[in-house]
Amino acid sequence: MFGLLQDWDKLLEEFSVGEAWLPHRYEEHDYNCYTYALAFINSVLAAQGKQQMSKSEFTEKFVIPQTKKASKYITLHQELTANEFYVVPLPDQEKRC
């Protein structure tokens, strides 16, 4: 995994120069940023000999869990600000910062 992280930018650059991802080919519903990201991830998986993911599988495994987390934080923030609460560090935490 560490080797992949080191080469991530290089792999992405190599993937991006292909004809498939020229700007004029962009299409809002079927050929967009999401399909680009998924195609890149699938190219990395294929290079590692792993099974590629469908759009729905990727969404279920990675997008939805992160969206749920973000939703919880947004809801918490909205409730705190709507009720005029604010958070301050505890005295012990101020010394560590």
Side-chain angles (χ1 to χ4, degrees):
M1 184 60 105
F2 181 72
L4 177 61
L5 291 174
Q6 286 184 300
D7 293 334
W8 188 264
D9 289 339
K10 179 181 156 221
L11 293 169
L12 184 56
E13 182 65 34
E14 290 171 1
F15 181 79
S16 298
V17 297
E19 291 281 322
W21 301 108
L22 293 174
H24 72 276
R25 297 196 62 196
Y26 177 86
E27 201 282 315
E28 184 177 351
H29 297 288
D30 298 316
Y31 212 71
N32 52 41
C33 297
Y34 192 85
T35 56
Y36 172 85
L38 183 57
F40 172 67
I41 291 167
N42 278 332
S43 74
V44 172
L45 290 172
Q48 294 179 325
K50 296 181 181 176
Q51 184 177 358
Q52 296 183 5
M53 288 186 273
S54 68
K55 205 179 226 184
S56 61
E57 182 182 11
F58 180 75
T59 301
E60 287 177 29
K61 285 186 176 181
F62 298 101
V63 177
I64 291 174
Q66 295 302 318
T67 304
K68 285 181 179 180
K69 284 181 190 177
S71 175
K72 288 178 184 179
Y73 284 108
I74 291 167
T75 301
L76 177 61
H77 177 267
Q78 290 171 336
E79 289 296 319
L80 290 172
T81 55
N83 294 299
E84 299 182 10
F85 285 94
Y86 61 96
V87 178
V88 295
L90 295 172
D92 291 3
Q93 294 174 337
E94 287 179 349
K95 294 175 187 174
R96 290 186 229 156
C97 295

